[in-house]
Amino acid sequence: MLTRNCLSLLLWVLFDGGLLTPLHPQAQEILEAQPRENVVPVSGRRSSAQRVKRGWVWNQFFVLEEYMGSEPQYVGKLHSDLDKGVGTVKYTLSGDGAGTVFTIDETTGDIHAIRSLDREEKPFYTLRAQAVDVDTKKPLEPESEFIIKVQDINDNEPKFLDGPYVASVPEMSPVGAYVLQVKATDADDPTYGNSARVVYSILQGQPYFSIDPKTGVIRTALPNMDREVKEQYQVLIQAKDMGGQLGGLAGTTTVNITLTDVNDNPPRFPKSIFHLKVPETSHVGSAIGRIRAVDPDFGKNAEIEYNIVPGDGGNLFDITTDEYTQEGIIKLKKPLDFETKKAYTFKVEASNLHLDHRFHSVGPFKDTATVKINVLDMDEPPVFSKPMYTMEVYEDTPVGTIIGAVTAQDLDAGSSSVRYFMDWKNDVDSYFTIDATEGTIATNELLDRESTAQYNFSIIASKVSNPLLTSKVNVIINVLDVNEFPPEISVPYETSVCENAKPGQVIQTITAADKDLSPAGQRFSFKLSSEASNKPNFTVHDYRNNTAGIEARRNGYSRRQQELYFLPVVIEDSSYPVQSSTNTLTIRVCRCDSDGTIQSCNVEAIFLPVGLSTGALIAILLCIVILLVIVVLYVALRRQKKKDTLMTSKEDIRDNVIHYDDEGGGEEDTQAFDIGALRNPKVIEDNKIRRDIKPDTLRFTRHRPPAEDNTDIRDFINQRLQENDVDPSAPPYDSLATYAYEGNGSVAESLSSIDSLTTEADQDYDYLSDWGPRFKILADMFGEESYSPDKVT
């Protein structure tokens, strides 16, 4: 580096005189002058048309990176044609790194780098130069721009940014099988020299793998690499710059390569014969032993399927594969019996499930081994001769009658006696007993089939030599029926017959039931009783399928003559002894329509109109009842109102008794009549015209004839009534005036003033108090008031 700087300084001295020679990149360290001309106008000296030599002469400057000298590194020199060397020109520098990285001598124009530069940090700097007159401070030349490039040196080693690497390749791969490609990067300038030219090599991993020095592709280098021999490989890769030449920088990385498994190994049994010992008491379906074939492969390539080769003894066993351990599990398919057979021999074949066609030439991927099973003799419980016992017994069988027996044996070599006893679970078991030695079952109570038709219980047998060894069997006892109940009609029937029924018409189908057995086990017959067979009303037709039909024998029935018929039917069963019963059917006569649909079966309906439903009849009856209640209430109110009286005037209380059936017209009604001459109480109203009807608009002149004492009172009243009946100006038409006569025989005689000869002023009413409590109110009314003639108007 020092040599380069000295050489640059020498060339600058040789060419000093206005030429600035840069470090050209194509010539590397050779300085080359590149003069240029430019027209520079100089104020007061040259015309604008004069052609002059260019003031600045350069192309590029170069500076070495990582300079470690004690003095600032010289870069280059600036010079202007106007500089005569008398100190009138001042040089300035601006741009990237001016003043901090690069400095310039204002008088001489020398440029120096004042610190070490790193090309990988910043590859070039762009600066601007200016020549200024010292006195006037004005620019002598236009400002010019130039570049200082940092020249690269080999100061960075190659690096594997993605390392360390992990790769895999199938085992038994051929030579040259692709494994992985690695890549190293160099931060140096790839366009300048060989600093960034990287070459790859293997430092560790031969002779198994190789690498391409330019591309970094790793490949297998040995054939038939076996995973079962060695599975993991660690390869050390080096990358060196400068094209691998001496003095270049290098970087390393590690590649971990795994050989993946292929099915290149068949399963093999470690031994040819497997011995197993199995107790004869082993349960069916239980595992009695395990065998295993060894396969050095891995994963699914090591999955093994086991099969029993057909042959002697193999039909009693089965084999399956444990998916976790790849062992063959031998299971029992049928029970073993030491006394029957003590040993079994069969062959088992192990084979791979997933085969690789590339290795078929190696041989069959399966192996065979022999399995020998020895049955061990065990102390077993007794064995019943049947899996289940079924017995029958008639109901009402005497207590103690033997109905059957169970048998159990000890099949072991040293045979032992057997004892029997009931497995007591509920009270039903108490109906039977068992002989402990013989195993005979007898009744312990009377049996009733209608109560319980079947008994189900268990019998336990145990060995005398070892009572803990027991066995159990179910016993079913069916109770047979004894015919003791007569058949009866299934449900109580109340049937009906239409009034318009025809002879032979079926009006009801009946069935029977027997408490002894279900109808499926019996045959029933139906007929009329002897006393009913002579009556021509109904008959019974036996269908011989445990049903019968009730048929009409008359052409029409009448409810008015007879509403109900009672038909006795005799039912017999077919068991021994024959049982029979007489059942009476109630037949009701009903009214039906032409289609035979029943409309009414009540007696009251006979007198109702045809076509009215029950709801309509009820509504009609309800309306009638409501009307009757209204009439009764109306009559009662009328009678109550007739008992009420009204007195229109205190003065005329003896003369007028007025009764109003309704609101009426008040006291105006009394002004139409002169009651003074009223004497005869038996006046009969001959005029029957209704006063609640408005009369015709015919007016008559009202005139009141003078009253005479000798006039017939009856004619007078009739005349007055006729006048008022036809007079529209009379009091309201709904009023009624009633005139009453006290009659003869009163203790007080007549209270009327009609026959009185004296005036009212002459009357003395004190005697009323002597008439008793019935006249107390009247005595108080007239006794308190003092009569004055002046008040009479």
Side-chain angles (χ1 to χ4, degrees):
M1 186 176 296
L2 182 59
T3 304
R4 293 177 184 176
N5 293 336
C6 293
L7 184 58
S8 299
L9 180 60
L10 177 62
L11 291 176
W12 175 80
V13 172
L14 293 177
F15 290 93
D16 187 17
L19 297 178
L20 180 64
T21 305
L23 298 176
H24 198 276
Q26 283 75 13
Q28 297 183 1
E29 299 179 0
I30 301 175
L31 299 176
E32 177 178 286
Q34 296 180 355
R36 291 186 182 180
E37 294 183 353
N38 191 10
V39 179
V40 180
V42 180
S43 177
R45 287 186 173 183
R46 300 173 184 174
S47 63
S48 59
Q50 184 180 1
R51 182 179 181 84
V52 297
K53 190 175 182 180
R54 185 181 183 277
W56 299 108
V57 181
W58 66 69
N59 187 5
Q60 291 181 352
F61 289 121
F62 290 88
V63 61
L64 293 176
E65 68 171 336
E66 306 293 344
Y67 174 74
M68 302 301 294
S70 58
E71 297 294 333
Q73 183 180 1
Y74 179 75
V75 178
K77 182 180 180 64
L78 299 180
H79 184 70
S80 174
D81 294 343
L82 299 178
D83 186 3
K84 303 302 182 179
V86 295
T88 59
V89 178
K90 178 183 178 182
Y91 297 96
T92 61
L93 190 66
S94 63
D96 292 342
T100 58
V101 180
F102 304 99
T103 61
I104 187 170
D105 190 315
E106 295 179 352
T107 303
T108 62
D110 293 334
I111 301 174
H112 291 82
I114 59 176
R115 65 179 180 87
S116 178
L117 303 179
D118 187 0
R119 190 200 67 85
E120 287 71 39
E121 181 180 349
K122 188 173 180 64
F124 64 91
Y125 297 85
T126 302
L127 296 100
R128 292 181 299 279
Q130 182 73 60
V132 182
D133 186 275
V134 175
D135 297 329
T136 63
K137 307 298 182 180
K138 293 183 179 180
L140 299 177
E141 299 283 352
E143 186 180 55
S144 297
E145 186 177 79
F146 65 97
I147 297 175
I148 298 178
K149 284 191 175 181
V150 182
Q151 188 174 358
D152 181 53
I153 63 172
N154 190 20
D155 60 343
N156 292 282
E157 73 278 3
K159 294 182 179 180
F160 293 93
L161 301 180
D162 297 330
Y165 296 88
V166 177
S168 62
V169 62
E171 64 173 334
M172 310 303 290
S173 296
V175 176
Y178 175 85
V179 179
L180 180 69
Q181 183 179 15
V182 297
K183 184 176 180 61
T185 59
D186 195 321
D188 291 329
D189 188 358
T191 63
Y192 180 76
N194 293 326
S195 299
R197 183 185 173 193
V198 179
V199 175
Y200 301 95
S201 61
I202 293 181
L203 300 181
Q204 176 185 329
Q206 290 100 352
Y208 305 105
F209 302 95
S210 63
I211 189 170
D212 189 296
K214 293 182 178 180
T215 61
V217 174
I218 302 174
R219 300 181 183 274
T220 58
L222 284 180
N224 300 327
M225 286 190 295
D226 193 356
R227 185 197 68 85
E228 288 72 36
V229 177
K230 187 176 181 180
E231 183 178 7
Q232 298 288 338
Y233 295 86
Q234 190 176 69
V235 180
L236 184 61
I237 304 296
Q238 175 185 267
K240 189 175 184 181
D241 59 10
M242 299 299 291
Q245 299 177 4
L246 187 63
L249 302 178
T252 59
T253 188
T254 302
V255 180
N256 295 313
I257 301 175
T258 302
L259 295 182
T260 58
D261 185 65
V262 296
N263 192 10
D264 59 338
N265 296 282
R268 292 287 182 264
F269 284 106
K271 54 185 179 180
S272 59
I273 299 177
F274 291 87
H275 292 276
L276 299 176
K277 295 181 180 180
V278 182
E280 63 175 338
T281 56
S282 299
H283 298 288
V284 174
S286 61
I288 60 175
R290 289 173 175 254
I291 62 174
R292 182 178 182 180
V294 178
D295 191 334
D297 292 327
F298 178 75
K300 69 175 184 178
N301 296 321
E303 293 181 2
I304 302 174
E305 182 182 21
Y306 297 91
N307 292 287
I308 294 178
V309 179
D312 183 27
N315 57 345
L316 270 71
F317 306 94
D318 193 9
I319 189 168
T320 59
T321 302
D322 189 329
E323 60 179 345
Y324 300 103
T325 63
Q326 296 301 312
E327 293 178 316
I329 304 174
I330 300 176
K331 296 183 178 181
L332 191 62
K333 290 175 58 178
K334 297 180 180 179
L336 298 176
D337 187 10
F338 175 81
E339 288 72 26
T340 303
K341 192 171 184 178
K342 299 177 175 58
Y344 297 88
T345 302
F346 54 90
K347 290 185 177 182
V348 175
E349 182 182 79
S351 59
N352 280 137
L353 288 175
H354 307 283
L355 301 178
D356 193 331
H357 63 87
R358 296 178 298 173
F359 305 101
H360 285 175
S361 59
V362 178
F365 278 73
K366 58 183 178 181
D367 195 15
T368 304
T370 302
V371 178
K372 289 187 177 182
I373 295 178
N374 294 322
V375 181
L376 301 179
D377 186 24
M378 305 296 292
D379 195 5
E380 298 175 283
V383 178
F384 283 96
S385 60
K386 295 181 180 180
M388 184 180 68
Y389 292 87
T390 302
M391 304 175 185
E392 294 180 345
V393 59
Y394 281 99
E395 61 179 335
D396 298 333
T397 299
V399 175
T401 303
I402 297 176
I403 59 177
V406 296
T407 304
Q409 294 181 351
D410 181 14
L411 301 180
D412 291 333
S415 180
S416 173
S417 306
V418 178
R419 292 291 180 266
Y420 306 93
F421 56 92
M422 302 279 292
D423 184 15
W424 298 100
K425 291 183 178 180
N426 48 51
D427 296 338
V428 176
D429 299 333
S430 63
Y431 284 89
F432 305 94
T433 59
I434 187 170
D435 186 276
T437 304
E438 301 296 332
T440 56
I441 299 175
T443 59
N444 195 37
E445 296 182 16
L446 289 177
L447 305 179
D448 183 11
R449 194 203 67 83
E450 287 71 34
S451 175
T452 305
Q454 187 181 79
Y455 294 89
N456 191 342
F457 54 90
S458 298
I459 300 296
I460 297 177
S462 66
K463 296 174 65 172
V464 175
S465 60
N466 189 357
L468 297 179
L469 293 177
T470 61
S471 58
K472 185 184 296 186
V473 70
N474 286 337
V475 177
I476 297 176
I477 297 179
N478 295 317
V479 181
L480 302 180
D481 182 55
V482 175
N483 193 24
E484 53 186 343
F485 293 97
E488 297 177 351
I489 292 180
S490 300
V491 293
Y493 290 101
E494 181 175 347
T495 185
S496 58
V497 62
C498 295
E499 289 182 315
N500 55 358
K502 304 297 182 182
Q505 179 179 345
V506 178
I507 63 174
Q508 182 68 56
T509 301
I510 60 174
T511 59
D514 195 333
K515 294 181 181 179
D516 293 316
L517 288 175
S518 62
Q522 281 273 26
R523 289 298 304 271
F524 302 112
S525 61
F526 302 85
K527 64 181 180 179
L528 286 177
S529 63
S530 57
E531 63 272 13
S533 59
N534 298 326
K535 298 180 181 180
N537 294 321
F538 302 95
T539 186
V540 177
H541 183 198
D542 191 350
Y543 296 141
R544 301 188 181 280
N545 59 354
N546 290 348
T547 62
I550 308 300
E551 297 180 355
R553 297 181 62 185
R554 291 174 49 183
N555 189 4
Y557 297 84
S558 175
R559 283 183 294 168
R560 296 182 180 180
Q561 294 180 0
Q562 185 173 348
E563 181 187 5
L564 297 177
Y565 292 88
F566 300 98
L567 184 67
V569 179
V570 178
I571 305 176
E572 294 182 353
D573 59 19
S574 58
S575 300
Y576 181 82
V578 175
Q579 299 285 349
S580 64
S581 65
T582 301
N583 302 262
T584 302
L585 285 131
T586 301
I587 302 175
R588 185 180 298 274
V589 181
C590 300
R591 181 171 57 85
C592 307
D593 57 12
S594 59
D595 297 332
T597 303
I598 297 176
Q599 293 184 341
S600 175
C601 293
N602 298 327
V603 180
E604 294 79 359
I606 301 175
F607 305 99
L608 295 177
V610 178
L612 292 178
S613 63
T614 304
L617 296 175
I618 294 175
I620 293 174
L621 293 175
L622 186 61
C623 292
I624 294 174
V625 171
I626 293 173
L627 291 176
L628 290 175
V629 171
I630 292 174
V631 171
V632 170
L633 291 176
Y634 178 75
V635 172
L637 290 175
R638 293 279 296 180
R639 290 181 178 178
Q640 183 66 26
K641 287 181 179 181
K642 287 181 180 180
K643 296 179 181 180
D644 298 336
T645 59
L646 290 175
M647 292 180 293
T648 59
S649 172
K650 181 165 57 176
E651 292 81 359
D652 298 331
I653 190 170
R654 295 176 300 167
D655 300 336
N656 287 331
V657 179
I658 302 173
H659 176 77
Y660 293 93
D661 285 340
D662 44 23
E663 192 174 55
E667 294 183 355
E668 293 182 356
D669 291 347
T670 60
Q671 297 176 2
F673 303 97
D674 185 4
I675 309 302
L678 183 61
R679 293 180 182 273
N680 189 357
K682 297 181 180 180
V683 176
I684 300 174
E685 182 181 358
D686 296 332
N687 194 345
K688 300 298 182 178
I689 299 177
R690 293 180 56 180
R691 301 200 56 178
D692 59 344
I693 300 177
K694 184 176 181 180
D696 296 334
T697 57
L698 180 63
R699 289 185 174 268
F700 293 91
T701 304
R702 295 186 61 182
H703 58 277
R704 298 178 59 183
E708 297 180 1
D709 294 340
N710 296 327
T711 302
D712 193 310
I713 299 302
R714 182 177 57 186
D715 294 339
F716 171 77
I717 291 175
N718 290 337
Q719 181 182 356
R720 293 296 185 183
L721 287 174
Q722 291 179 4
E723 290 178 358
N724 282 276
D725 286 342
V726 297
D727 187 0
S729 61
Y733 313 115
D734 57 352
S735 63
L736 177 64
T738 303
Y739 304 94
Y741 180 72
E742 185 177 15
N744 297 324
S746 175
V747 178
E749 297 181 352
S750 177
L751 297 180
S752 175
S753 60
I754 296 177
D755 293 334
S756 300
L757 298 179
T758 61
T759 62
E760 190 175 6
D762 299 332
Q763 293 292 327
D764 184 8
Y765 300 101
D766 293 335
Y767 60 89
L768 293 176
S769 59
D770 299 332
W771 289 359
R774 296 180 62 184
F775 295 93
K776 182 178 183 302
I777 296 175
L778 189 60
D780 294 339
M781 293 174 59
F782 286 89
E784 294 178 0
E785 180 182 6
S786 60
Y787 182 77
S788 175
D790 298 335
K791 295 181 181 180
V792 179
T793 56

